[in-house]
Amino acid sequence: MSTAEQPDIGEQPGLDGPPLARTTLDRAAGHRTDQAWLDEAWATGLVLVIDIAGGGKVHVTDKPSLVLVGADAAPEGERLFLGVDALGVPIFAVSSSLPEAPEGAEARTLRDIGDRLDPRDAGILTTAAALGNWHASHRFSPRSGQPTTVTDGGWVRVDPDGRQMWPRTDPAMIVLVHDGVAGPEGRCLLGHNASWPAVGGVRRFSCLAGFVEPGESAEAAVAREVREEVGIALRGMTYEGSQSWPYPGSLMLGFTASADAAQPFVLDPAEIDEARWFTRTEIAAMIDGGLPGVGLPMRSSIALYLIERWREG
């Protein structure tokens, strides 16, 4: 759930919802088993070429907008039907190395530009990245080891014995812990992951996060992860929203929670090598790049959404 890149925070998106939760794409699931419809839709629709093996890169213009091509210009590969846009245009994805970029376009990833895409393109790219990553890791059946093939417009893989597999999403929680104090001196708790290198002398701090374990609720996972990673007990929590994080296939469930800031940290050094309480004033300075040596998560993350929502609250 991390990247080694130090993000450029810049201007913040609107806080109506997490940036990668925005979409106007109709998934049109009723068409997935209609091969005749899919064949016609492929011929008349648009295709996003995404380099899953290369980290999910796609071509975008400087707006930024996704570069979509017609079927005649799409490379060979498994056709993944993503849905239908608001104008009724069928949208597909094909995982392939990228061709030469059109004039005025460049290769970028969802991490880079997800927050700046319009809702149509954000929905297309988030879905393509998540679905493409799942297909890349399920070429063979985990039951029999036999090769699998795509069916249902890219939403099912099947082995030679007819056993089906469906795309999976792994639930994960992410939480912004705060002290419950209003105003500029109110504080939130952020941690530096032990695996994150400093970039340009800047250490990135973010919300605490982790996977929901089998037999566990999301709320129980929030309390457990905070206790395990920094040794802090929570007083209460509130669900704030969710967004896909297709690296490779998580659904991030966002929470805020309050805690007594007087509690001592007990860090799990394998996970968190530094934890700090930051005031709203300090967070504002970090967003503006005015707090030397420390930085915040990338703009496309739900972590920054939670931080900014708390700062303005």
Side-chain angles (χ1 to χ4, degrees):
M1 298 178 206
S2 65
T3 177
E5 299 177 3
Q6 178 64 34
D8 173 20
I9 300 300
E11 184 179 352
Q12 297 302 293
L15 298 179
D16 293 332
L20 302 188
R22 300 168 300 122
T23 184
T24 58
L25 190 67
D26 177 358
R27 297 195 172 205
H31 292 305
R32 293 174 184 171
T33 57
D34 187 342
Q35 192 58 51
W37 187 93
L38 289 171
D39 290 342
E40 182 178 350
W42 171 262
T44 60
L46 294 173
V47 183
L48 176 68
V49 181
I50 181 168
D51 186 359
I52 294 295
K57 291 180 179 179
V58 296
H59 283 148
V60 296
T61 64
D62 60 3
K63 190 176 179 179
S65 297
L66 297 178
V67 175
L68 303 176
V69 301
D72 57 347
E76 292 295 324
E78 295 172 342
R79 302 174 184 178
L80 310 180
F81 172 59
L82 305 182
V84 177
D85 71 12
L87 298 177
V89 179
I91 308 295
F92 290 81
V94 171
S95 177
S96 171
S97 57
L98 296 181
E100 183 177 352
E103 184 177 355
E106 61 180 346
R108 302 298 294 270
T109 70
L110 184 64
R111 281 188 172 102
D112 299 329
I113 44 86
D115 65 297
R116 292 184 287 131
L117 295 172
D118 66 28
R120 168 186 177 266
D121 282 2
I124 289 172
L125 183 50
T126 303
T127 305
L131 195 55
N133 280 324
W134 179 78
H135 280 286
S137 62
H138 287 77
R139 303 295 184 191
F140 297 89
S141 168
R143 294 179 178 177
S144 65
Q146 298 182 88
T148 59
T149 56
V150 172
T151 185
D152 288 31
W155 292 89
V156 176
R157 295 191 76 92
V158 60
D159 70 14
D161 295 327
R163 287 177 290 208
Q164 296 178 316
M165 296 183 297
W166 292 267
R168 63 173 294 164
T169 296
D170 297 319
M173 49 62 54
I174 184 165
V175 59
L176 179 73
V177 181
H178 61 86
D179 63 2
V181 175
E185 296 309 308
R187 293 178 291 173
C188 70
L189 169 60
L190 302 178
H192 179 271
N193 191 289
S195 67
W196 293 343
V199 178
V202 176
R203 286 166 62 83
R204 176 159 49 93
F205 284 78
S206 187
C207 302
L208 303 179
F211 286 102
V212 179
E213 295 185 343
E216 185 177 48
S217 69
E219 292 82 359
V222 170
R224 174 183 56 77
E225 286 285 349
V226 173
R227 183 178 64 252
E228 290 177 352
E229 292 189 352
V230 297
I232 297 296
L234 302 178
R235 291 189 296 221
M237 68 185 73
T238 302
Y239 175 70
E240 301 289 353
S242 67
Q243 74 172 26
S244 173
W245 192 244
Y247 302 104
S250 299
L251 175 65
M252 303 301 299
L253 306 171
F255 291 82
T256 53
S258 61
D260 181 356
Q263 297 177 81
F265 291 132
V266 181
L267 304 184
D268 176 0
E271 293 284 343
I272 303 295
D273 62 10
E274 184 179 0
R276 291 174 55 180
W277 290 95
F278 293 89
T279 66
R280 283 187 173 88
T281 299
E282 290 173 320
I283 292 295
M286 291 167 76
I287 290 174
D288 293 337
L291 201 62
V294 291
L296 291 173
M298 68 194 71
R299 293 178 296 176
S300 59
S301 67
I302 192 173
L304 190 60
Y305 167 79
L306 293 172
I307 293 168
E308 184 69 0
R309 186 178 178 89
W310 168 81
R311 182 183 74 90
E312 295 192 356

